[in-house]
């Protein structure tokens, strides 16, 4: 029954049915408004730029190091001429390797060659009395900050396999590099600079080339960025004077749109995403990078500390100083190649080759350690020194040494490492690692650990399988932090 209009209830007043209908529509409108609001929020989230894959990430556990500087001596420095003196080799020089030793497999096959005496003079340095040869007088002044690791070993008997394994954990191609795993796991603290930087000391080619800092099956955005050695570390960095920033930004926006459209149907090709990110990074770098690589800001004392005032040490000293400046600005992983092109490979004339290389590297490395320390950066920066393997106690060609993957020396400093100690050791000939042995898997695991990453928790799903950086092996060397 409807309500008849009266003076008290004029026709403008709705009836009960109208009330319910309109009220129902009103409640529906409330729901509709809510749905529209949710859709609007979703549209905003969809249109917003996703988080950068290089954004800083949480560690698995508290880290002692935030950055890594890996000083890579390509070619294989001789441990028994630098950090691991062997009196027995001196005593038996000129005779074959004792029969009690397992016959080694050498790259050049000279297993019956006589032992070659080292011509080095040795002294103990620092409070712990760390042995260092006269080839490294500047590094010797820093040993109280260095942990010398004498028990290293690897599988790669030649340079291709050795360099590959030291960079990727296996001697065969196809695995992500150490630096790319670190970058994947931690991101970077400065998205206006590359997260992973590689610098060579000459324009030659490293063994295996860019694969050493590549990503293999993990997204290509985590690969290393190679900078130049010399006056212009970053090529084509500066925008042409006749192009305004707004013009360049517009071009990059259009290019990004076209690239993203192209990449949508090619999800498996992470190189496309990496290329898009590289264009955006290049644009950001035009503001941040010129200041980062501007060494004119440094003092004369700093130049001298790194040996940049001397011809022999200028190049690697410049690279080491650039590494310090990168660390200051939040770059996660820096790899500095020394002797690019396997120049440490001394099959003959080891005295001349190693002497020149040590002269060009020693002061620069010591300057880096001292500079990091005085700036309060060494505590959070892990510095790693070493090559792909060591060298044999037996001679080759009368005055050289062959590759030795079964026992060699590396060292670490900073980043929570306890300095002034020597960990592990080789046998009396310096041929085999016998004490506190550290395979490359253990070396990598220890680097990850100091960075707050678990080698078992850090994983990437590849073709449905969990891939981990050290292939489910490797142990952290606790003595690095405990002594």
């Amino acid at each position: 029954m409807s309500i008849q209009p009266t003076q008290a209830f004029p026709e403008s007043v709705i009836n009960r049915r109208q009330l319910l209908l309109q009220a129902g529509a009103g409640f529906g409108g409330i729901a509709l408004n809510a749905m529209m609001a949710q859709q609007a929020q979703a549209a905003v989230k969809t249109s917003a730029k996703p988080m950068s894959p290089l954004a800083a990430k949480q560690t698995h556990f508290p880290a002692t190091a935030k950055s890594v500087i890996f000083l890579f001596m390509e070619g294989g420095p001789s441990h028994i001429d630098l950090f691991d003196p062997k009196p027995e080799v001196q005593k038996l020089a000129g005779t074959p390797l004792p029969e009690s030793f397992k016959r080694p497999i050498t790259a050049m096959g000279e297993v019956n060659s006589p032992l070659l005496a080292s011509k080095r003079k040795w002294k103990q340095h620092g409070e712990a009395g760390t042995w260092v040869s006269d080839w490294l007088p500047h590094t010797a002044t820093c040993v109280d900050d260095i942990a010398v690791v004498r028990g290293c070993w690897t599988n790669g008997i030649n340079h291709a396999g050795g360099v590959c394994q030291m960079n990727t954990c296996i001697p065969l191609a196809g695995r992500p590099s150490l630096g790319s795993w670190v970058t994947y796991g931690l991101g970077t603290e400065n998205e206006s600079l590359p997260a992973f930087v590689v610098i060579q000391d000459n324009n030659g080619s490293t063994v295996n080339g860019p694969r050493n800092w590549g990503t293999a099956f993990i997204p290509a955005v985590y690969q290393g960025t190679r900078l130049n050695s010399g006056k212009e570390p970053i090529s084509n960095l500066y925008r042409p004077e006749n192009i305004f920033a707004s013009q360049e930004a517009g071009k990059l926006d259009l290019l990004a749109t076209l690239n993203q459209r192209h990449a949508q149907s090619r999800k498996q090709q992470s190189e496309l995403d990496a290329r898009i990110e590289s264009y955006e990074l290049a644009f950001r770098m035009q503001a941040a990078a010129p200041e980062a690589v501007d060494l004119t800001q440094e003092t004369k004392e700093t130049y001298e500390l790194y040996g940049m005032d001397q011809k022999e040490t200028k190049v690697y000293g410049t690279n080491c100083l650039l590494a310090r400046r990168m660390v200051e600005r939040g770059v996660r992983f820096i790899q500095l190649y020394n002797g690019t092109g396997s120049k440490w490979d001394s099959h003959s004339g080891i005295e001349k080759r190693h002497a020149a290389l040590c002269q060009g590297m020693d002061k620069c490395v010591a300057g880096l350690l001292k500079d990091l320390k005085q700036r309060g950066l060494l505590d959070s920066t892990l510095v790693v020194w070493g090559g792909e393997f060591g060298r044999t106690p037996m001679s080759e060609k009368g005055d050289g040494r062959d590759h030795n993957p079964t026992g060699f020396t590396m060292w670490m400093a900073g980043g929570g490492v306890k300095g002034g100690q020597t960990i592990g050791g080789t046998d009396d000939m310096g041929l085999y690692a016998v004490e506190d042995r550290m395979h490359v898997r253990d070396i990598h695991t220890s680097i990850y650990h100091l960075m707050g990453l678990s080698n078992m928790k850090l994983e990437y799903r590849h073709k449905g399988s969990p891939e981990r950086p050290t292939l489910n092996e490797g142990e952290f060397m606790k003595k690095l932090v405990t002594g």
Side-chain angles (χ1 to χ4, degrees):
M1 180 179 71
S2 63
I3 299 175
Q4 297 299 320
T6 65
Q7 188 175 3
F9 296 93
E11 290 186 9
S12 61
V13 177
I14 61 173
N15 61 32
R16 184 171 54 187
R17 182 175 291 120
Q18 290 171 329
L19 174 66
L20 291 173
L21 284 171
Q22 292 185 24
F27 285 123
I30 293 173
L32 179 61
N33 285 337
M35 291 173 63
M36 291 177 68
Q38 290 175 348
Q39 290 175 353
Q41 290 177 354
V44 170
K45 290 180 181 178
T46 303
S47 62
K49 185 178 179 180
M51 180 180 292
S52 167
L54 293 173
K57 302 170 188 175
Q58 289 291 325
T59 59
H60 295 139
F61 43 78
T64 55
K66 296 197 309 182
S67 302
V68 174
I69 300 176
F70 195 144
L71 308 169
F72 200 111
M73 309 293 115
E74 191 195 349
S78 176
H79 57 297
I80 56 179
D81 290 293
L82 297 173
F83 294 104
D84 195 4
K86 294 299 176 185
E88 284 298 307
V89 173
Q90 303 300 101
K91 186 186 300 183
L92 299 175
T95 66
L97 187 72
E99 293 184 3
S100 58
F101 281 76
K102 177 183 176 182
R103 178 182 290 267
I105 299 174
T106 61
M108 298 300 161
E110 293 195 37
V111 294
N112 295 317
S113 299
L115 296 168
L116 178 66
S118 172
K119 297 183 179 180
R120 308 279 44 85
K121 295 179 180 178
W122 296 84
K123 284 181 61 177
Q124 288 179 285
H125 299 267
E127 295 182 6
T130 303
W131 287 100
V132 184
S133 85
D134 57 353
W135 261 341
L136 301 175
H138 298 284
T139 301
T141 65
C142 302
V143 292
D144 284 337
D145 294 311
I146 291 174
V148 177
V149 184
R150 286 181 176 172
C152 302
W153 67 287
T154 184
N155 304 107
I157 194 171
N158 56 27
H159 297 292
V163 173
C164 184
Q165 184 156 40
M166 190 55 72
N167 277 291
T168 70
C169 221
I170 66 170
L172 302 175
R175 299 287 302 179
S177 61
L178 170 64
S180 64
W181 273 116
V182 169
T183 307
Y184 167 69
L186 294 177
T188 182
E189 294 184 337
N190 187 341
E191 293 189 47
S192 294
L193 290 172
F196 174 15
V197 167
V198 178
I199 310 178
Q200 299 179 177
D201 62 341
N202 62 59
N203 292 324
S205 298
T206 60
V207 173
N208 306 325
R211 286 208 313 254
N212 296 328
W213 50 89
T215 57
F217 49 75
I218 66 176
V221 70
Y222 301 107
Q223 66 189 320
T225 298
R226 183 185 161 191
L227 303 189
N228 303 320
S229 179
K231 294 182 179 180
E232 191 177 352
I234 304 173
S235 300
N236 307 311
L237 174 62
Y238 301 98
R239 184 176 63 251
E241 293 182 359
N242 60 335
I243 300 295
F244 295 109
S246 58
Q247 291 176 293
E248 187 174 40
K251 290 180 180 179
L252 289 174
D253 287 343
L254 175 60
L255 187 60
T257 301
L258 296 174
N259 283 334
Q260 287 166 0
R261 187 182 302 167
H262 184 69
Q264 282 176 353
S265 61
R266 299 167 175 82
K267 297 291 185 183
Q268 75 281 5
Q269 290 183 268
S270 67
E271 291 83 358
L272 296 172
D273 292 326
R275 186 172 299 172
I276 294 170
E277 176 65 27
S278 71
Y279 288 142
E280 296 178 356
L281 172 61
F283 184 68
R284 298 193 299 270
M285 283 173 62
Q286 287 182 344
E291 185 276 336
V293 299
D294 182 10
L295 302 186
T296 62
Q297 300 178 22
E298 301 291 342
T299 65
K300 178 183 177 183
E301 290 74 21
T302 300
Y303 274 56
E304 293 174 351
L305 178 65
Y306 283 86
M308 293 168 62
D309 58 333
Q310 300 171 18
K311 179 181 177 181
E312 295 80 7
T313 50
K314 182 176 182 178
V315 172
Y316 206 61
T318 299
N319 295 350
C320 287
L321 180 54
L322 280 170
R324 188 267 285 167
R325 293 179 65 87
M326 293 287 175
V327 163
E328 282 182 313
R329 288 155 180 78
V331 175
R332 188 69 71 184
F333 199 100
I334 303 107
Q335 192 167 33
L336 304 183
Y337 279 88
N338 183 274
T340 301
S342 299
K343 295 189 182 301
W344 284 89
D345 191 26
S346 300
H347 292 278
S348 62
I350 191 170
E351 283 295 310
K352 182 178 179 180
R353 292 172 182 267
H354 267 46
L357 287 161
C358 287
Q359 184 181 12
M361 172 276 300
D362 178 41
K363 185 174 184 178
C364 313
V365 172
L368 173 63
L369 292 177
K370 292 173 181 177
D371 199 17
L372 288 170
K373 187 173 183 178
Q374 70 185 12
R375 292 172 185 269
L377 292 169
L378 189 58
D379 290 340
S380 60
T381 305
L382 175 64
V383 181
V384 182
W385 182 97
E388 63 266 38
F389 39 57
R391 309 210 74 83
T392 61
M394 301 89 71
S395 66
E396 185 184 350
K397 299 179 181 178
D399 60 353
R401 301 188 189 277
D402 204 345
H403 309 167
N404 183 9
T406 55
F408 60 98
T409 295
M410 298 182 70
W411 60 251
M412 298 185 190
V417 170
K418 184 177 180 181
Q421 61 167 327
T422 299
I423 301 172
T426 54
D427 55 46
D428 289 343
M429 298 292 115
L431 185 58
Y432 296 103
V434 294
E435 180 184 350
D436 285 327
R437 301 172 78 235
M438 285 186 71
H439 187 269
V440 173
R441 292 184 295 268
D442 305 312
I443 295 168
H444 283 207
T445 297
S446 297
I447 293 172
Y448 293 130
H449 188 96
L450 295 167
M451 297 289 287
L453 294 172
S454 165
N455 64 312
M456 295 301 292
K457 291 181 180 179
L458 181 61
E459 67 174 44
Y460 181 82
R461 287 275 168 176
H462 177 55
K463 296 182 179 179
S465 300
E467 294 287 351
R468 301 184 178 95
T470 59
L471 293 91
N472 305 329
E473 297 184 60
E475 297 290 332
F476 171 53
M477 176 56 74
K478 295 180 180 179
K479 288 184 179 181
L480 284 168
V481 296
T482 62

